Amino acid sequence: MQPIIFYCYDAYCGWCYGFSPVIKKLAAAYKDKFSFEVLSGGMIISETPKPISVMAGYIQNAYKMVEERTGIRFGSDFLWHINNPGKSDWFLDSEKSAIALSVFKDYYPDQQVAFASDLQYALNYEGRDLCDDEAYRHLLEKYSLPADDFYYQLHSETYKEKAYYEFALVKQLQVTGFPAVLLQVSETKFYLISRGYTDYETLKERVENILEELYPEQL
């Protein structure tokens, strides 16, 4: 089997947003060696979605740490909701963004890392509500996706089941935090190459060390 890099993330994970440039760079550098699969982790799933006010206090501090560590920037439209939780109409729920990614992967499986990054930029910089169907429309134009088909699938049980299958798979892979990156080299052998934010050079070194261990004759 061709080795697979699994990127376990959640659209609502701020550290994953900070990690987006790293995983995009890795996908570009190793696209000829590995296939890349993005798995949604279902970080915030509840039968009764929680208003942004529940998490706003935590995010007000956490986003500054993400910016300082990763160099990423959160946008003013996103931060308005964090700093004015009593006025915001946002609710936190990972389901719809996970379904959107599942739909997208059937169209463009080789661009799923880019799409996941775009979802996070839409939320954390542009301040789009990922629980709102309209948050995805600009990406349909970007990727030339048929709007009627996309929105039909976004509300279908088929793709909801695919999203929840990914949530279960992430748990099966024993991922307990995001972002996480695993390299699968056989049916039963996985390497955990990133748990939490990791800079590109460190990640690349870990990948190269594994390749050297697996295929010394090719180096």
Side-chain angles (χ1 to χ4, degrees):
M1 62 169 285
Q2 182 188 27
I4 303 172
I5 285 187
F6 288 101
Y7 171 40
C8 303
Y9 103 120
D10 192 274
Y12 281 86
C13 166
W15 283 105
C16 297
Y17 172 54
F19 187 65
S20 285
V22 175
I23 194 67
K24 284 172 69 177
K25 190 173 181 180
L26 192 78
Y30 289 94
K31 64 180 185 230
D32 296 330
K33 285 190 169 68
F34 310 121
S35 58
F36 282 76
E37 180 83 17
V38 183
L39 299 176
S40 297
M43 187 175 77
I44 308 172
I45 295 295
S46 172
E47 291 184 6
T48 53
K50 298 175 176 58
I52 190 70
S53 56
V54 173
M55 291 285 290
Y58 168 78
I59 298 171
Q60 283 170 6
N61 293 317
Y63 92 85
K64 297 171 187 174
M65 294 170 56
V66 175
E67 287 189 335
E68 183 177 338
R69 175 89 186 276
T70 72
I72 203 94
R73 288 292 174 262
F74 290 78
S76 58
D77 289 336
F78 169 78
L79 293 175
W80 182 89
H81 291 273
I82 304 308
N83 294 323
N84 299 277
K87 299 177 183 177
S88 174
D89 60 354
W90 278 13
F91 284 78
L92 301 173
D93 194 307
S94 300
E95 182 179 285
K96 184 167 286 188
S97 55
I99 297 172
L101 178 63
S102 292
V103 174
F104 180 86
K105 291 198 299 193
D106 275 1
Y107 284 100
Y108 300 117
D110 59 334
Q111 296 187 57
Q112 51 191 285
V113 171
F115 188 76
S117 176
D118 285 344
L119 289 181
Q120 297 212 289
Y121 185 82
L123 171 69
N124 293 291
Y125 194 84
E126 298 175 327
R128 299 178 192 265
D129 179 3
L130 297 183
C131 291
D132 181 354
D133 284 4
E134 288 304 306
Y136 304 90
R137 194 169 295 277
H138 70 297
L139 295 178
L140 307 189
E141 295 171 4
K142 176 176 180 178
Y143 290 97
S144 300
L145 291 168
D148 289 346
D149 288 349
F150 176 85
Y151 284 119
Y152 174 78
Q153 292 161 349
L154 188 65
H155 292 278
S156 73
E157 281 300 313
T158 298
Y159 284 92
K160 181 176 179 179
E161 287 173 6
K162 287 187 176 187
Y164 276 81
Y165 172 78
E166 288 190 13
F167 301 161
L169 180 56
V170 168
K171 287 182 180 177
Q172 188 179 335
L173 291 170
Q174 300 181 347
V175 171
T176 56
F178 308 105
V181 183
L182 299 97
L183 172 56
Q184 182 183 14
V185 297
S186 72
E187 290 297 328
T188 57
K189 191 168 183 62
F190 290 81
Y191 293 86
L192 178 64
I193 56 176
S194 175
R195 178 190 284 127
Y197 177 80
T198 306
D199 64 75
Y200 177 73
E201 292 305 321
T202 301
L203 199 58
K204 180 184 177 185
E205 182 180 357
R206 290 173 183 170
V207 170
E208 289 296 328
N209 287 341
I210 293 168
L211 288 174
E212 186 175 354
E213 175 188 329
L214 294 173
Y215 313 111
E217 71 283 354
Q218 297 181 14
L219 299 173

